[in-house]
Amino acid sequence: MTTLVEEPTKRRGAGWTVVAVVVAILGTELVLGWQSLLGALAHLRAPHLGWLAAALLAETAAMQAYARMQRRLLRSAGVRVPLRRHVALAYAAHSLSVSLPGGPAFSTALNYRQMRRFGASPAIASWCIALSGILSAAALAAITLFSTATAGDTADWHTLAALAVAVVLATLGVRRLARHPGRLAALLTVVNRLRQRPADHGRDRVQDFLEQLRVARLTPGHGAAAIIFALLNWLLDALCLWLCCVAVGGGTISTGQLLLAFCAGMAAGSLPIVPGGLGIIDGALILGLIAGGMTTGIAIAAVVLYRLITLGFIIGLGWLSYLAIRRIA
């Protein structure tokens, strides 16, 4: 009986201990960073409205670039949809991805459903979503390597070459299987044997999927345009960050240092720990800008403005787009 009474007491004591530790840490950080916070607030009170408006335009252009990338991929498969529908989907999917726990799964599901409504087959919709992710990740990796080189560090060209070879081999392998579905039989037999299933189990579904995939002919023109739009999506986003820096008086940072800080923030945000990468992206961006020569106050002010645009303005438009899509559906 005594044990049953003591257990909740111990738990409450442990909980209060955790709360006390967290409050102590936050209080210490607040005291140590008080001057920097005051400096950031001073810069935030009067940002240059012209540069701030330009930052808003750059971020909306970044979203347009992503929508155009997906549009090019679908057009290569013969699916033609007005640009405004792609833009609405890009905003809505982005908002689901960054503002919900497990957001990327909801975003992928929305993309798939809408592309099916656009007229894409299941295989084409899956192919477009997967290739969009690959192109976006590859574009960010390329910008990271460029920023590393221009910032004065040594880029890991061996890693880049290995990644490029892997992507090319995977692409060629998928194309060969799509053109020669009969060659899939041996591979499927081995997989079914490992799974202790009949040798022809699932063959019809796989071949039907590959037959649908044959429709996708990514021509050099569409492929080059998709790559350019993938790069523009990140570069315009980085431009928004730079314009926010200029708006609060921090425009002296070099291009290489700015891109390096931006890529560090985006890489940190790829870990889906909290929605929107709150605290994670912000911290990485601030540290990167400070490393690039900015004062702490200006770096904080610039990142706060940037996040207000990307987490406030863009996500707000995204949820409005999502509601409009749901209403139409």
Side-chain angles (χ1 to χ4, degrees):
M1 188 70 176
T2 305
T3 305
L4 293 175
V5 174
E6 289 179 352
E7 243 352 271
T9 304
K10 288 181 179 179
R11 289 178 183 173
R12 283 197 297 269
W16 282 111
T17 301
V18 171
V19 170
V21 170
V22 171
V23 169
I25 292 173
L26 292 176
T28 302
E29 290 180 347
L30 186 61
V31 171
L32 294 176
W34 184 250
Q35 293 301 322
S36 298
L37 287 174
L38 288 178
L41 289 173
H43 289 292
L44 278 171
R45 285 195 191 102
H48 192 286
L49 295 181
W51 291 114
L52 188 57
L56 282 169
L57 290 175
E59 192 60 31
T60 55
M63 295 299 297
Q64 283 255 350
Y66 188 86
R68 288 178 180 274
M69 176 188 68
Q70 287 198 324
R71 185 181 183 225
R72 283 286 183 168
L73 294 177
L74 281 183
R75 286 185 69 179
S76 70
V79 180
R80 295 179 177 272
V81 181
L83 178 61
R84 58 181 176 78
R85 297 187 67 184
H86 279 284
V87 172
L89 176 58
Y91 273 96
H94 174 73
S95 292
L96 289 180
S97 179
V98 302
S99 58
L100 292 178
F106 292 103
S107 175
T108 300
L110 177 66
N111 267 310
Y112 181 81
R113 289 196 304 270
Q114 289 304 306
M115 288 181 186
R116 294 284 288 122
R117 290 194 178 100
F118 291 168
S121 67
I124 294 301
S126 302
W127 169 81
C128 181
I129 293 169
L131 193 52
S132 296
I134 292 171
L135 287 178
S136 185
L140 182 60
I143 294 170
T144 302
L145 286 169
F146 172 80
S147 63
T148 302
T150 55
D153 296 328
T154 302
D156 190 354
W157 299 109
H158 298 289
T159 302
L160 177 62
L163 178 63
V165 169
V167 170
V168 170
L169 289 177
T171 304
L172 291 176
V174 171
R175 289 188 66 183
R176 182 171 291 274
L177 285 176
R179 290 180 178 179
H180 306 284
R183 297 183 179 181
L184 191 64
L187 178 60
L188 191 61
T189 300
V190 173
V191 172
N192 285 331
R193 188 178 301 163
L194 293 174
R195 297 175 60 199
Q196 298 181 348
R197 299 287 180 86
D200 60 348
H201 178 76
R203 183 178 299 176
D204 292 340
R205 283 179 295 175
V206 172
Q207 288 184 343
D208 180 60
F209 186 87
L210 290 174
E211 286 295 334
Q212 295 178 41
L213 203 57
R214 282 184 173 185
V215 179
R217 298 293 184 185
L218 191 58
T219 63
H222 284 308
I227 292 171
I228 290 171
F229 285 129
L231 288 167
L232 281 175
N233 170 240
W234 291 115
L235 291 174
L236 288 167
D237 197 3
L239 176 62
C240 174
L241 175 61
W242 179 76
L243 290 168
C244 289
C245 293
V246 176
V248 294
T252 57
I253 188 170
S254 68
T255 302
Q257 289 289 350
L258 177 90
L259 287 176
L260 198 58
F262 172 79
C263 292
M266 296 306 104
S270 65
L271 301 174
I273 299 174
V274 292
L278 283 172
I280 300 172
I281 293 177
D282 312 74
L285 287 174
I286 290 169
L287 291 175
L289 294 177
I290 292 172
M294 281 191 190
T295 63
T296 304
I298 290 180
I300 293 173
V303 171
V304 168
L305 279 183
Y306 170 74
R307 296 290 271 169
L308 283 174
I309 292 173
T310 56
L311 284 182
F313 181 71
I314 296 298
I315 288 182
L317 287 180
W319 279 109
L320 291 175
S321 298
Y322 177 74
L323 293 174
I325 289 172
R326 288 292 300 269
R327 190 174 300 162
I328 295 172

